[in-house]
Amino acid sequence: MLKNIMIILFALLVFSCNEKTKNEPIIDHKIENLKAKENTTNESNKLKTEEQKYIQNLEKKKNKKLDYSNNLTSDELIELLPNRIDGFETLPNSSGVQENDDGSLFTFAKAQFQNENKQNIIIDIFDYGIKGSIPNKDNYTKPPKDLDSPTIKYKDEFSTGFYTIDKHLDYGRLEVLIKNRFVVVVRLNKNIDNEKLLIEILRKVKLSKLKNIK
């Protein structure tokens, strides 16, 4: 009799241990689910907060009165760009105004040309205004070394900057700073052997007028 009782108690003890072992992973799983849900909720709240801040910033920019009196107008910049280049079709130009992240303002204009061989010329001009903040200003005195192709310093009577020719991509770029205020960028694709054509295109911009603007 005593032996049977011992067997029953032993069986109950084993069953109890098995039940405990069986339940623990379920409890852990529920805890992990709760934690995951909590993290998801926190992330969701964080995203909502960031979204609200973004919308608020857009509203502030929308309602902010911007003073471009220190800049040439976009139309004035367009007048400084060439309206035609021999052998190329003149494409529609574009222009506008923009505010940098640091709050500084600039105006810009773009002229575009294309020939029958799908060779493209793009000329951009930016006016950062009187005492404006010019991005990467040091590049115009010390050409950048982190581009995919070598950069070479450029200087003429009106401007200083750099050019680069990527023979693998068949692409050239000439970028200059004028009067510590204006940036002109010339881009050209196809049949780029040297910088001569880039410089020729740059000189079609009314650089002397930019130099004399007060």
PDB file of all heavy atoms in Angstrom, residues 61 64-68 71 98-106 128 131-133:
ATOM      1  N   LYS A  61       7.575  77.443 -42.707  1.00  0.00           N
ATOM      2  CA  LYS A  61       8.205  77.906 -43.934  1.00  0.00           C
ATOM      3  C   LYS A  61       7.189  78.537 -44.872  1.00  0.00           C
ATOM      4  O   LYS A  61       7.470  79.526 -45.553  1.00  0.00           O
ATOM      5  CB  LYS A  61       8.915  76.740 -44.637  1.00  0.00           C
ATOM      6  CG  LYS A  61      10.225  76.336 -43.975  1.00  0.00           C
ATOM      7  CD  LYS A  61      10.939  75.285 -44.806  1.00  0.00           C
ATOM      8  CE  LYS A  61      12.287  74.929 -44.190  1.00  0.00           C
ATOM      9  NZ  LYS A  61      13.017  73.930 -45.009  1.00  0.00           N
ATOM     10  N   LYS A  64       6.333  81.908 -43.506  1.00  0.00           N
ATOM     11  CA  LYS A  64       7.463  82.795 -43.274  1.00  0.00           C
ATOM     12  C   LYS A  64       7.650  83.739 -44.466  1.00  0.00           C
ATOM     13  O   LYS A  64       7.606  83.331 -45.616  1.00  0.00           O
ATOM     14  CB  LYS A  64       8.741  81.951 -43.079  1.00  0.00           C
ATOM     15  CG  LYS A  64       9.967  82.764 -42.754  1.00  0.00           C
ATOM     16  CD  LYS A  64      11.158  81.831 -42.556  1.00  0.00           C
ATOM     17  CE  LYS A  64      12.433  82.601 -42.266  1.00  0.00           C
ATOM     18  NZ  LYS A  64      13.600  81.682 -42.110  1.00  0.00           N
ATOM     19  N   LYS A  65       7.852  85.003 -44.172  1.00  0.00           N
ATOM     20  CA  LYS A  65       8.078  85.981 -45.223  1.00  0.00           C
ATOM     21  C   LYS A  65       9.571  86.028 -45.532  1.00  0.00           C
ATOM     22  O   LYS A  65      10.376  86.363 -44.660  1.00  0.00           O
ATOM     23  CB  LYS A  65       7.576  87.352 -44.780  1.00  0.00           C
ATOM     24  CG  LYS A  65       6.058  87.422 -44.651  1.00  0.00           C
ATOM     25  CD  LYS A  65       5.604  88.822 -44.283  1.00  0.00           C
ATOM     26  CE  LYS A  65       4.078  88.881 -44.201  1.00  0.00           C
ATOM     27  NZ  LYS A  65       3.602  90.246 -43.832  1.00  0.00           N
ATOM     28  N   LEU A  66       9.922  85.675 -46.752  1.00  0.00           N
ATOM     29  CA  LEU A  66      11.321  85.608 -47.154  1.00  0.00           C
ATOM     30  C   LEU A  66      11.711  86.867 -47.925  1.00  0.00           C
ATOM     31  O   LEU A  66      10.980  87.315 -48.812  1.00  0.00           O
ATOM     32  CB  LEU A  66      11.570  84.363 -48.001  1.00  0.00           C
ATOM     33  CG  LEU A  66      11.214  83.029 -47.327  1.00  0.00           C
ATOM     34  CD1 LEU A  66      11.441  81.870 -48.289  1.00  0.00           C
ATOM     35  CD2 LEU A  66      12.030  82.831 -46.057  1.00  0.00           C
ATOM     36  N   ASP A  67      12.860  87.409 -47.590  1.00  0.00           N
ATOM     37  CA  ASP A  67      13.334  88.643 -48.199  1.00  0.00           C
ATOM     38  C   ASP A  67      14.469  88.342 -49.175  1.00  0.00           C
ATOM     39  O   ASP A  67      15.587  88.033 -48.767  1.00  0.00           O
ATOM     40  CB  ASP A  67      13.814  89.599 -47.101  1.00  0.00           C
ATOM     41  CG  ASP A  67      14.313  90.920 -47.669  1.00  0.00           C
ATOM     42  OD1 ASP A  67      14.094  91.168 -48.879  1.00  0.00           O
ATOM     43  OD2 ASP A  67      14.933  91.684 -46.912  1.00  0.00           O
ATOM     44  N   TYR A  68      14.170  88.423 -50.451  1.00  0.00           N
ATOM     45  CA  TYR A  68      15.167  88.158 -51.490  1.00  0.00           C
ATOM     46  C   TYR A  68      15.730  89.458 -52.075  1.00  0.00           C
ATOM     47  O   TYR A  68      16.252  89.461 -53.182  1.00  0.00           O
ATOM     48  CB  TYR A  68      14.552  87.324 -52.610  1.00  0.00           C
ATOM     49  CG  TYR A  68      14.302  85.883 -52.228  1.00  0.00           C
ATOM     50  CD1 TYR A  68      13.077  85.481 -51.727  1.00  0.00           C
ATOM     51  CD2 TYR A  68      15.303  84.923 -52.351  1.00  0.00           C
ATOM     52  CE1 TYR A  68      12.848  84.152 -51.360  1.00  0.00           C
ATOM     53  CE2 TYR A  68      15.087  83.602 -51.996  1.00  0.00           C
ATOM     54  CZ  TYR A  68      13.855  83.225 -51.501  1.00  0.00           C
ATOM     55  OH  TYR A  68      13.635  81.915 -51.146  1.00  0.00           O
ATOM     56  N   ASN A  71      19.245  89.458 -53.408  1.00  0.00           N
ATOM     57  CA  ASN A  71      19.531  88.555 -54.530  1.00  0.00           C
ATOM     58  C   ASN A  71      18.971  89.133 -55.825  1.00  0.00           C
ATOM     59  O   ASN A  71      17.971  89.866 -55.806  1.00  0.00           O
ATOM     60  CB  ASN A  71      18.880  87.185 -54.313  1.00  0.00           C
ATOM     61  CG  ASN A  71      19.257  86.564 -52.992  1.00  0.00           C
ATOM     62  OD1 ASN A  71      18.787  86.982 -51.949  1.00  0.00           O
ATOM     63  ND2 ASN A  71      20.094  85.555 -53.039  1.00  0.00           N
ATOM     64  N   GLN A  98      14.999  79.598 -53.339  1.00  0.00           N
ATOM     65  CA  GLN A  98      15.078  78.520 -52.351  1.00  0.00           C
ATOM     66  C   GLN A  98      15.745  79.015 -51.071  1.00  0.00           C
ATOM     67  O   GLN A  98      16.537  79.958 -51.086  1.00  0.00           O
ATOM     68  CB  GLN A  98      15.858  77.335 -52.924  1.00  0.00           C
ATOM     69  CG  GLN A  98      15.663  76.042 -52.145  1.00  0.00           C
ATOM     70  CD  GLN A  98      16.117  74.830 -52.945  1.00  0.00           C
ATOM     71  OE1 GLN A  98      15.985  74.792 -54.161  1.00  0.00           O
ATOM     72  NE2 GLN A  98      16.651  73.840 -52.257  1.00  0.00           N
ATOM     73  N   GLU A  99      15.403  78.330 -49.977  1.00  0.00           N
ATOM     74  CA  GLU A  99      15.995  78.630 -48.676  1.00  0.00           C
ATOM     75  C   GLU A  99      16.853  77.452 -48.239  1.00  0.00           C
ATOM     76  O   GLU A  99      16.415  76.310 -48.264  1.00  0.00           O
ATOM     77  CB  GLU A  99      14.902  78.887 -47.640  1.00  0.00           C
ATOM     78  CG  GLU A  99      15.448  79.194 -46.254  1.00  0.00           C
ATOM     79  CD  GLU A  99      14.342  79.393 -45.229  1.00  0.00           C
ATOM     80  OE1 GLU A  99      13.177  79.060 -45.541  1.00  0.00           O
ATOM     81  OE2 GLU A  99      14.635  79.861 -44.118  1.00  0.00           O
ATOM     82  N   ASN A 100      18.100  77.741 -47.855  1.00  0.00           N
ATOM     83  CA  ASN A 100      18.972  76.700 -47.344  1.00  0.00           C
ATOM     84  C   ASN A 100      18.566  76.297 -45.935  1.00  0.00           C
ATOM     85  O   ASN A 100      17.777  76.987 -45.269  1.00  0.00           O
ATOM     86  CB  ASN A 100      20.435  77.192 -47.320  1.00  0.00           C
ATOM     87  CG  ASN A 100      21.079  77.122 -48.693  1.00  0.00           C
ATOM     88  OD1 ASN A 100      20.778  76.229 -49.483  1.00  0.00           O
ATOM     89  ND2 ASN A 100      21.952  78.064 -48.983  1.00  0.00           N
ATOM     90  N   ASP A 101      19.101  75.174 -45.482  1.00  0.00           N
ATOM     91  CA  ASP A 101      18.809  74.707 -44.127  1.00  0.00           C
ATOM     92  C   ASP A 101      19.249  75.709 -43.071  1.00  0.00           C
ATOM     93  O   ASP A 101      18.671  75.762 -41.982  1.00  0.00           O
ATOM     94  CB  ASP A 101      19.495  73.355 -43.867  1.00  0.00           C
ATOM     95  CG  ASP A 101      18.883  72.237 -44.704  1.00  0.00           C
ATOM     96  OD1 ASP A 101      17.714  72.379 -45.107  1.00  0.00           O
ATOM     97  OD2 ASP A 101      19.570  71.230 -44.950  1.00  0.00           O
ATOM     98  N   ASP A 102      20.280  76.490 -43.380  1.00  0.00           N
ATOM     99  CA  ASP A 102      20.764  77.473 -42.407  1.00  0.00           C
ATOM    100  C   ASP A 102      19.983  78.784 -42.463  1.00  0.00           C
ATOM    101  O   ASP A 102      20.308  79.742 -41.756  1.00  0.00           O
ATOM    102  CB  ASP A 102      22.257  77.747 -42.610  1.00  0.00           C
ATOM    103  CG  ASP A 102      22.553  78.357 -43.979  1.00  0.00           C
ATOM    104  OD1 ASP A 102      21.596  78.588 -44.754  1.00  0.00           O
ATOM    105  OD2 ASP A 102      23.731  78.596 -44.280  1.00  0.00           O
ATOM    106  N   GLY A 103      18.946  78.824 -43.319  1.00  0.00           N
ATOM    107  CA  GLY A 103      18.105  80.014 -43.399  1.00  0.00           C
ATOM    108  C   GLY A 103      18.535  81.005 -44.464  1.00  0.00           C
ATOM    109  O   GLY A 103      17.818  81.976 -44.729  1.00  0.00           O
ATOM    110  N   SER A 104      19.695  80.787 -45.082  1.00  0.00           N
ATOM    111  CA  SER A 104      20.130  81.690 -46.153  1.00  0.00           C
ATOM    112  C   SER A 104      19.318  81.436 -47.420  1.00  0.00           C
ATOM    113  O   SER A 104      18.811  80.333 -47.641  1.00  0.00           O
ATOM    114  CB  SER A 104      21.625  81.509 -46.432  1.00  0.00           C
ATOM    115  OG  SER A 104      21.904  80.181 -46.838  1.00  0.00           O
ATOM    116  N   LEU A 105      19.221  82.471 -48.234  1.00  0.00           N
ATOM    117  CA  LEU A 105      18.360  82.408 -49.415  1.00  0.00           C
ATOM    118  C   LEU A 105      19.178  82.502 -50.702  1.00  0.00           C
ATOM    119  O   LEU A 105      20.215  83.157 -50.736  1.00  0.00           O
ATOM    120  CB  LEU A 105      17.354  83.561 -49.382  1.00  0.00           C
ATOM    121  CG  LEU A 105      16.519  83.701 -48.096  1.00  0.00           C
ATOM    122  CD1 LEU A 105      15.681  84.970 -48.164  1.00  0.00           C
ATOM    123  CD2 LEU A 105      15.644  82.491 -47.872  1.00  0.00           C
ATOM    124  N   PHE A 106      18.713  81.827 -51.732  1.00  0.00           N
ATOM    125  CA  PHE A 106      19.360  81.984 -53.034  1.00  0.00           C
ATOM    126  C   PHE A 106      18.329  81.876 -54.149  1.00  0.00           C
ATOM    127  O   PHE A 106      17.266  81.268 -53.997  1.00  0.00           O
ATOM    128  CB  PHE A 106      20.485  80.971 -53.236  1.00  0.00           C
ATOM    129  CG  PHE A 106      20.048  79.527 -53.327  1.00  0.00           C
ATOM    130  CD1 PHE A 106      19.748  78.952 -54.551  1.00  0.00           C
ATOM    131  CD2 PHE A 106      19.968  78.741 -52.192  1.00  0.00           C
ATOM    132  CE1 PHE A 106      19.369  77.627 -54.650  1.00  0.00           C
ATOM    133  CE2 PHE A 106      19.589  77.407 -52.277  1.00  0.00           C
ATOM    134  CZ  PHE A 106      19.298  76.846 -53.500  1.00  0.00           C
ATOM    135  N   TYR A 128      23.713  83.655 -54.362  1.00  0.00           N
ATOM    136  CA  TYR A 128      23.556  83.474 -52.913  1.00  0.00           C
ATOM    137  C   TYR A 128      23.424  84.795 -52.176  1.00  0.00           C
ATOM    138  O   TYR A 128      23.357  84.813 -50.945  1.00  0.00           O
ATOM    139  CB  TYR A 128      24.729  82.656 -52.369  1.00  0.00           C
ATOM    140  CG  TYR A 128      24.669  81.225 -52.833  1.00  0.00           C
ATOM    141  CD1 TYR A 128      25.376  80.805 -53.958  1.00  0.00           C
ATOM    142  CD2 TYR A 128      23.868  80.287 -52.187  1.00  0.00           C
ATOM    143  CE1 TYR A 128      25.298  79.494 -54.405  1.00  0.00           C
ATOM    144  CE2 TYR A 128      23.787  78.982 -52.627  1.00  0.00           C
ATOM    145  CZ  TYR A 128      24.506  78.595 -53.735  1.00  0.00           C
ATOM    146  OH  TYR A 128      24.421  77.290 -54.183  1.00  0.00           O
ATOM    147  N   LYS A 131      26.662  88.824 -48.967  1.00  0.00           N
ATOM    148  CA  LYS A 131      27.075  88.162 -47.723  1.00  0.00           C
ATOM    149  C   LYS A 131      26.310  86.853 -47.508  1.00  0.00           C
ATOM    150  O   LYS A 131      25.997  86.467 -46.386  1.00  0.00           O
ATOM    151  CB  LYS A 131      26.874  89.086 -46.518  1.00  0.00           C
ATOM    152  CG  LYS A 131      27.731  90.343 -46.571  1.00  0.00           C
ATOM    153  CD  LYS A 131      27.520  91.208 -45.342  1.00  0.00           C
ATOM    154  CE  LYS A 131      28.390  92.458 -45.413  1.00  0.00           C
ATOM    155  NZ  LYS A 131      28.183  93.342 -44.227  1.00  0.00           N
ATOM    156  N   GLY A 132      25.981  86.181 -48.612  1.00  0.00           N
ATOM    157  CA  GLY A 132      25.246  84.921 -48.526  1.00  0.00           C
ATOM    158  C   GLY A 132      26.139  83.762 -48.103  1.00  0.00           C
ATOM    159  O   GLY A 132      27.366  83.852 -48.124  1.00  0.00           O
ATOM    160  N   SER A 133      25.502  82.683 -47.720  1.00  0.00           N
ATOM    161  CA  SER A 133      26.220  81.472 -47.313  1.00  0.00           C
ATOM    162  C   SER A 133      26.342  80.549 -48.515  1.00  0.00           C
ATOM    163  O   SER A 133      25.341  80.023 -49.012  1.00  0.00           O
ATOM    164  CB  SER A 133      25.451  80.775 -46.175  1.00  0.00           C
ATOM    165  OG  SER A 133      26.070  79.565 -45.820  1.00  0.00           O
TER     166      SER A 133
END
